[in-house]
């Protein structure tokens, strides 16, 4: 079976109509959800680009593959996967697949997509590389104007300097955007692969809607900011929270901009998503034209989410909120029943085993991945009732582990304040109840479960847990095999 893997960068789930956004302009992705499976609890293993993308490539959690930071802000970790690292793309190549990648790579610094068996132009970096020769050749061949931006949006840093660029208008027509260029190159590769007898895997990685949100006027102004409902967590006070969160808020200059600017930024972010949806539509149209729909599985997801003002933050960072850990995840397999909605906790990591199963390849080397194929139906499937995520630092080392259940989320911050949220009563994660006496039993059970998962995986963070917290208070039980549903839920 062929596989088309559509991936964005820093993409909130609530930007899509399929995930409840009434104003969204995402008809293509909404149709993919309507005809396939929508996963409502799809999480990233870690909310940072390179480690998350390395997990997709290897089927390994970040603690295992050890590529733990973006090289642009490396804090002492390795910058590339080792030469002998197993990757699903090389397994596909060995099985006779064509294997292509158009767009963002960002899986390390020196080793490129071609080193892992992918066809396609080498497009390095974290944001649209608008000075890349292939993009410039595309503009020239189509008599299109060069990249130019104006009306920049940014706040003010604590030292009085200009903050990071958050958005800007692009003085180019849609046909000249980097997004249109990527979709065009993907269509060209589809046409090439469709003409060959071999099955194919094609991954189309957009660099957006990662900030800064730089789009042409029609998308910059697509949504009326007055209709944008601000996230409730904009009321964040950071009381009882790790101090790093307030420091990140200052770094991203949230309080130096009026709320009208935040509304506009969210509106532009939605416009960026709409632009990408339109470009994905061009690729899907090409799939139909080439007669590939009946034997091609289609994924859509991203590496992690984005704050866009939630918790008075932008970008991502050492704060394990739903805004950046829960992401969109769609899968359509030829012949499956349409409109399936699953609420199991699944992960970007699980794509690796799914791709391998669809290709008829043993998924065992993807040791931290579990195939989603059984969930692309309405059948009951045994599945874990929680998910564990991790973070290792960005700008500076900051190790974290998180466990999320139906009702609760526990975040362990060894260097700071731990967090516990009751998502039934506080879905916006504003009140940290970790230290509340009435939560002692829940806190202890979640600590024990997290300890068990990390120990069984081989994540040495569990040693840190035992050294940092009183064993009697946490009530560690190495033989723990289950939890009482009433309190754990």
């Amino acid at each position: 079976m062929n596989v088309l893997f559509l991936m964005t960068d820093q993409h909130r789930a609530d930007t899509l109509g399929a995930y409840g956004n009434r104003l969204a302009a995402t008809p293509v992705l909404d149709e993919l959800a309507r005809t396939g499976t929508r996963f409502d609890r799809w999480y990233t293993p870690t909310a940072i680009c390179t480690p998350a993308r390395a997990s997709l490539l290897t089927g390994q959690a970040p603690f295992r593959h050890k590529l733990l930071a973006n090289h642009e802000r490396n804090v002492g970790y390795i910058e590339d996967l080792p030469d002998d690292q197993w990757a699903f793309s090389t397994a596909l190549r060995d099985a006779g697949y064509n294997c292509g990648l158009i767009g963002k790579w960002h899986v390390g610094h020196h080793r490129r997509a071609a080193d892992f068996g992918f066809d396609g132009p080498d497009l390095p970096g974290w944001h649209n590389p608008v000075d890349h020769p292939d993009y410039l050749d595309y503009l020239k061949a189509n008599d299109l104007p060069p990249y130019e931006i104006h009306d920049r949006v940014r706040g003010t840093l604590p030292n009085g300097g200009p903050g990071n660029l958050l958005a800007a208008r692009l003085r180019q027509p849609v046909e000249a955007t980097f997004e249109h260029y990527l979709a065009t190159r993907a269509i060209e590769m589809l046409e090439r692969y469709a003409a060959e007898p071999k099955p194919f895997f094609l991954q189309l990685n957009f660099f957006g809607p990662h900030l800064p949100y730089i789009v042409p006027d029609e998308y910059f102004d697509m949504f009326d900011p007055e209709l944008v409902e601000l996230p409730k967590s904009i009321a964040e006070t950071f009381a009882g929270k790790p101090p790093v969160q307030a420091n990140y808020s200052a770094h991203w200059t949230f309080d130096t901009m009026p709320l009208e600017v935040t509304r506009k930024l969210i509106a532009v972010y939605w416009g960026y998503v709409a632009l990408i949806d339109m470009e994905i539509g061009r690729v899907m149209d090409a799939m139909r034209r080439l007669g590939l729909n009946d034997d091609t599985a289609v994924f859509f997801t991203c590496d992690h989410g984005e704050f866009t003002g939630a918790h008075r933050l932008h970008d991502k960072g050492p704060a394990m909120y739903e805004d950046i850990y829960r992401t969109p995840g769609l899968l359509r397999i030829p012949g499956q029943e349409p409109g399936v909605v699953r609420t199991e906790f699944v992960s970007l990591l699980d794509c690796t085993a799914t791709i391998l199963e669809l290709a008829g390849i043993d998924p065992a080397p993807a040791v931290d991945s579990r195939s989603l194929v059984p969930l692309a139906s309405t059948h009951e499937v045994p599945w874990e009732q929680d998910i564990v995520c991790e973070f290792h630092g960005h700008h500076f080392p900051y190790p974290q582990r998180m466990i999320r259940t139906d009702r609760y989320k526990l975040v362990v911050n060894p260097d700071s304040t731990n967090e516990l949220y009751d998502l039934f009563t506080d879905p916006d994660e504003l009140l940290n109840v970790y230290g509340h006496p009435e939560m002692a039993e829940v806190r202890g059970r979640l600590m024990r479960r997290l300890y068990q998962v990390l120990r069984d995986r081989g994540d040495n963070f569990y040693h840190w847990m035992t050294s940092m917290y009183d064993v009697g208070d946490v009530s560690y039980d190495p033989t723990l095999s289950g939890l009482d549903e009433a309190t754990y839920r």
Side-chain angles (χ1 to χ4, degrees):
M1 182 178 294
N2 304 316
V3 177
L4 175 65
F5 198 96
L6 304 166
M7 192 172 190
T8 52
D9 189 350
Q10 208 154 296
H11 196 155
R12 293 180 64 99
D14 62 9
T15 59
L16 305 184
Y19 284 90
N21 189 323
R22 295 177 295 103
L23 300 177
T26 54
V28 177
L29 292 174
D30 294 346
E31 175 67 7
L32 182 61
R34 189 191 69 79
T35 56
T37 302
R38 185 187 81 214
F39 294 89
D40 278 358
R41 287 173 168 171
W42 180 294
Y43 283 73
T44 181
T46 185
I48 188 167
C49 304
T50 292
R53 290 166 186 270
S55 287
L56 169 63
L57 184 68
T58 65
Q60 296 181 355
F63 82 89
R64 198 182 306 278
H65 63 63
K66 295 183 172 55
L67 190 57
L68 303 178
N70 297 350
H71 78 87
E72 294 90 348
R73 296 288 185 273
N74 199 305
V75 291
Y77 302 120
I78 64 171
E79 293 194 344
D80 285 287
L81 293 168
D83 291 344
D84 61 351
Q85 174 67 57
W86 178 92
F88 79 80
S89 51
T90 53
L92 289 174
R93 281 284 188 190
D94 291 344
Y97 268 68
N98 276 322
C99 200
L101 187 145
I102 301 293
K104 182 171 181 176
W105 170 240
H106 214 204
V107 184
H109 185 26
H110 299 289
R111 301 193 70 195
R112 305 299 193 190
D115 296 319
F116 293 90
F118 288 105
D119 301 326
D122 177 29
L123 299 170
W126 65 273
H127 199 250
N128 286 338
V130 294
D131 57 351
H132 192 278
D134 192 59
Y135 173 62
L136 298 178
D137 287 346
Y138 165 81
L139 294 179
K140 183 177 181 181
N142 292 278
D143 195 24
L144 293 167
Y147 176 87
E148 182 185 353
I149 64 174
H150 63 116
D151 287 2
R152 293 166 174 82
V153 179
R154 59 187 358 136
T156 304
L157 291 170
N159 66 5
N164 293 290
L165 181 64
L166 300 175
R169 292 181 185 271
L170 179 62
R171 277 203 180 107
Q172 283 179 306
V174 169
E175 294 75 18
T177 62
F178 208 83
E179 290 71 30
H180 198 88
Y181 153 76
L182 290 176
T184 299
R185 289 289 186 256
I187 292 168
E188 291 168 353
M189 188 166 282
L190 272 179
E191 291 170 342
R192 171 186 149 193
Y193 284 169
E196 299 184 20
K198 300 164 67 174
F200 69 82
F201 173 91
L202 175 58
Q203 187 166 341
L204 170 55
N205 289 351
F206 291 95
F207 288 75
H210 194 295
L211 57 77
Y213 322 134
I214 298 175
V215 291
D217 287 348
E218 63 190 273
Y219 289 96
F220 199 92
D221 297 321
M222 175 174 279
F223 296 96
D224 182 351
E226 292 187 4
L227 300 178
V228 171
E229 183 177 348
L230 291 173
K232 292 182 174 60
S233 64
I234 217 151
E236 179 67 77
T237 66
F238 302 113
K241 305 287 186 79
V244 69
Q245 296 184 20
N247 293 339
Y248 251 64
S249 179
H251 171 76
W252 284 105
T253 69
F254 178 84
D255 290 334
T256 69
M257 297 176 288
L259 290 182
E260 289 78 10
V261 172
T262 297
R263 290 184 191 275
K264 181 61 179 178
L265 285 169
I266 294 172
V268 177
Y269 181 68
W270 291 357
Y272 202 169
V273 172
L275 170 62
I276 292 171
D277 184 87
M278 183 273 291
E279 296 296 348
I280 289 174
R282 295 179 57 224
V283 178
M284 300 300 279
D285 287 345
M287 285 263 292
R288 284 186 287 272
R289 171 172 57 82
L290 295 167
L292 296 170
N293 274 3
D294 292 341
D295 54 4
T296 304
V298 181
F299 290 78
F300 171 77
T301 188
C302 64
D303 53 0
H304 55 79
E306 150 77 76
F307 279 118
T308 57
H311 294 277
R312 291 165 51 198
L313 294 164
H314 290 284
D315 198 51
K316 66 275 186 186
M320 303 187 85
Y321 293 121
E322 294 290 281
D323 308 272
I324 60 172
Y325 276 84
R326 175 179 171 260
T327 68
L330 308 174
L331 170 62
R332 185 176 71 200
I333 300 173
Q336 78 158 92
E337 53 191 302
V340 176
V341 178
R342 304 300 304 219
T343 58
E344 288 85 353
F345 289 105
V346 301
S347 170
L348 174 66
L349 263 168
D350 295 325
C351 292
T352 319
T354 311
I355 292 164
L356 294 170
E357 180 172 340
L358 291 170
I361 300 171
D362 181 9
V367 295
D368 296 311
S369 182
R370 186 173 182 180
S371 175
L372 301 172
V373 171
L375 296 180
S377 71
T378 54
H379 300 144
E380 187 172 335
V381 180
W383 208 264
E384 295 293 341
Q385 296 182 18
D386 53 33
I387 194 163
V388 170
C389 305
E390 60 189 273
F391 187 72
H392 298 266
H394 183 51
H395 300 100
F396 47 84
Y398 196 86
Q400 296 177 291
R401 297 296 185 274
M402 176 258 279
I403 185 168
R404 164 77 210 269
T405 73
D406 184 38
R407 179 167 185 172
Y408 297 106
K409 176 189 287 185
L410 171 71
V411 182
V412 176
N413 302 301
D415 292 333
S416 190
T417 305
N418 290 335
E419 300 163 81
L420 177 62
Y421 300 102
D422 183 341
L423 299 175
F424 280 14
T425 62
D426 178 29
D428 301 292
E429 302 173 279
L430 286 168
L431 180 63
N432 180 12
V433 297
Y434 182 85
H436 290 202
E438 71 274 14
M439 301 305 294
E441 183 179 6
V442 171
R443 182 177 68 238
R445 289 178 178 273
L446 290 169
M447 277 284 194
R448 293 197 300 275
R449 173 60 177 165
L450 178 59
Y451 175 92
Q452 176 197 46
V453 172
L454 298 180
R455 180 202 63 201
D456 292 350
R457 283 182 175 180
D459 182 347
N460 287 333
F461 191 91
Y462 86 93
H463 289 305
W464 201 342
M465 290 176 67
T466 56
S467 68
M468 292 292 292
Y469 305 110
D470 179 64
V471 173
D473 177 55
V474 178
S475 303
Y476 286 115
D477 180 0
T479 65
L480 184 72
S481 60
L483 295 163
D484 179 72
E485 184 175 349
T487 53
Y488 178 60
R489 182 184 175 200

